[in-house]
Amino acid sequence: MKTRVVPINPRRPAARAIAQGAALLRAGELVAFPTETVYGLGADALRPEAVQKIFQVKGRPLDNPLIVHIADRDHLRQLARKVPPAAFTLTDRFWPGPLTLVLPRSAAIPPEVTGGLETVAVRMPAHPVALALIRESGVPVAAPSANRSGRPSPTTAAHVLRDLGGRIPLILDGGPTEIGVESTVLDLTGPTPVLLRPGGVTLEELQAVVGPVDLKPVEGFRRRSPGTRYRHYRPRARTVLVLGSRPGLAQEVVEAHQAAGKKVGLIHRGRHLRATSSSVLVKVLPKDIAGYARGLFAALRALDDAGVDIIVVEGVSEQGLGLAVMDRLRRAASEVVGGT
Ligand code: AMP
Ligand code: MG
């Protein structure tokens, strides 16, 4: 299959490109498109054969459920059997945006979408291209991140092409995504909201709107968010996460691996860095956490593409977006050093 990459204005998407994408979705095909978080791989959520293609193309385990994307907040009622008052409070405040709600599913949702669960995850994205595409297709769009399963999520069309080129017909290229980490997933099926995955809407923002949020459901967690048990966000290179505030620790880790003859990449936060040997590939990310989140997956992929053996990355404080960033870093890492 030939993959077409069609450029599209992220703020004012051209009707023609949207119509192409929507026609493919209606025909049961897959379309990759930008959202404000990462690029998504969309299929008509109401057609089991279309949804199955997502799992094939990504190599995704069948019991890892998909998020259903809508362009009109009223459509939530068609997908969820019960919508608690807290859901309306949250959607009023955060939709469109990077917040996914888990609710009891309606009979309209095929089991392929939910991995057989009785719940469904729903989000209304804020990106004009995503909204226009969903609206024009006229169906709810099931869309996980548009990467091969287990790899860092794609934040550019080039990342999608690299992972899925030849496997999907169309990528809408709206440029780099704004947030860079995925949506926050919040389970509203119990008495207290449960944070299943930290993401673009911060825990602090959620708490300000709904009060207490449980972080770790003690029982049934695996069953409730199956996706969280799989390897995720992993570069090919062995990734070492460096924790703690001791200056120079990351550099020592780099030097130790170099001494062992490894080709090393370092993801660094725009702080002072002692001169490193020229054989270290350094990706400098902004110091502010939003800039760091925006650039993280691209940095992991760039170091991978440069063929490093080891990626050394420094942790961040788990406040605000930092909670989502650290969640991704912990999953990306095969080793953690330092810390308290
Ligand atoms: P992805 O779209 O690949 O970034 O991942 C979607 C995330 O949402 C995964 O962590 C899923 O496990 C989670 N998810 C999707 N549907 C449900 C659901 N019905 N219940 C709990 N978690 C869900
Ligand atoms: Mg994903």
Side-chain angles (χ1 to χ4, degrees):
M1 180 184 295
K2 182 159 165 38
T3 301
R4 265 181 314 150
V5 180
V6 173
I8 188 162
N9 185 311
R11 278 171 297 279
R12 298 171 54 85
R16 197 156 160 265
I18 292 296
Q20 275 176 35
L24 283 166
L25 288 176
R26 282 195 300 268
E29 299 297 335
L30 305 185
V31 176
F33 59 95
T35 78
E36 75 277 29
T37 57
V38 301
Y39 273 72
L41 179 64
D44 178 346
L46 303 181
R47 286 177 63 160
E49 352 58 88
V51 172
Q52 282 161 6
K53 285 183 192 166
I54 289 180
F55 291 91
Q56 284 159 14
V57 156
K58 282 185 57 97
R60 184 177 175 106
L62 289 171
D63 64 348
N64 187 359
L66 306 176
I67 296 171
V68 179
H69 294 72
I70 56 178
D72 178 339
R73 61 186 74 226
D74 294 338
H75 290 168
L76 178 58
R77 295 168 188 276
Q78 293 158 24
L79 304 179
R81 193 158 37 79
K82 224 172 61 193
V83 184
F88 292 111
T89 315
L90 287 162
T91 58
D92 281 350
R93 168 72 176 77
F94 297 111
W95 279 10
L99 177 65
T100 296
L101 299 180
V102 172
L103 297 165
R105 76 177 174 96
S106 82
I109 310 286
E112 282 81 358
V113 171
T114 66
L117 296 176
E118 282 309 309
T119 53
V120 62
V122 186
R123 153 165 129 87
M124 180 177 174
H127 198 291
V129 170
L131 288 171
L133 180 69
I134 299 163
R135 227 169 246 141
E136 180 70 16
S137 71
V139 293
V141 173
S145 48
N147 51 281
R148 288 282 293 170
S149 197
R151 301 257 299 138
S153 295
T155 55
T156 68
H159 297 161
V160 180
L161 188 65
R162 175 131 179 124
D163 275 22
L164 304 181
R167 296 169 182 263
I168 59 174
L170 178 66
I171 302 170
L172 295 176
D173 180 359
T177 58
E178 175 66 25
I179 297 176
V181 291
E182 300 82 349
S183 63
T184 302
V185 180
L186 190 70
D187 185 339
L188 293 182
T189 59
T192 309
V194 179
L195 184 71
L196 297 181
R197 175 177 77 184
V201 170
T202 66
L203 177 61
E204 294 87 340
E205 288 173 311
L206 291 175
Q207 287 165 332
V209 172
V210 289
V213 172
D214 283 347
L215 283 194
K216 277 219 166 93
V218 185
E219 12 166 352
F221 180 53
R222 300 225 143 157
R223 200 171 48 76
R224 283 161 84 180
S225 197
T228 52
R229 80 166 170 267
Y230 293 110
R231 282 168 64 111
H232 246 100
Y233 316 111
R234 287 245 164 139
R236 293 188 186 85
R238 180 174 174 76
T239 299
V240 182
L241 172 59
V242 179
L243 299 181
S245 51
R246 185 157 75 74
L249 180 56
Q251 193 136 3
E252 284 167 28
V253 174
V254 167
E255 283 160 11
H257 284 291
Q258 281 193 300
K262 302 289 185 196
K263 185 170 175 189
V264 184
L266 173 65
I267 296 178
H268 186 71
R269 256 193 115 180
R271 274 184 279 166
H272 173 71
L273 186 69
R274 287 204 315 263
T276 44
S277 106
S278 60
S279 62
V280 182
L281 278 169
V282 184
K283 292 280 160 202
V284 178
L285 292 180
K287 216 176 159 198
D288 70 289
I289 192 65
Y292 190 95
R294 193 178 298 128
L296 176 62
F297 287 146
L300 290 172
R301 281 175 173 267
L303 290 176
D304 244 355
D305 289 347
V308 302
D309 305 305
I310 308 276
I311 296 174
V312 178
V313 56
E314 284 178 306
V316 301
S317 134
E318 280 176 302
Q319 280 156 8
L321 259 188
L323 189 64
V325 166
M326 279 301 283
D327 172 75
R328 308 311 187 262
L329 286 178
R330 286 207 163 89
R331 291 170 196 279
S334 25
E335 187 188 336
V336 180
V337 301
T340 46

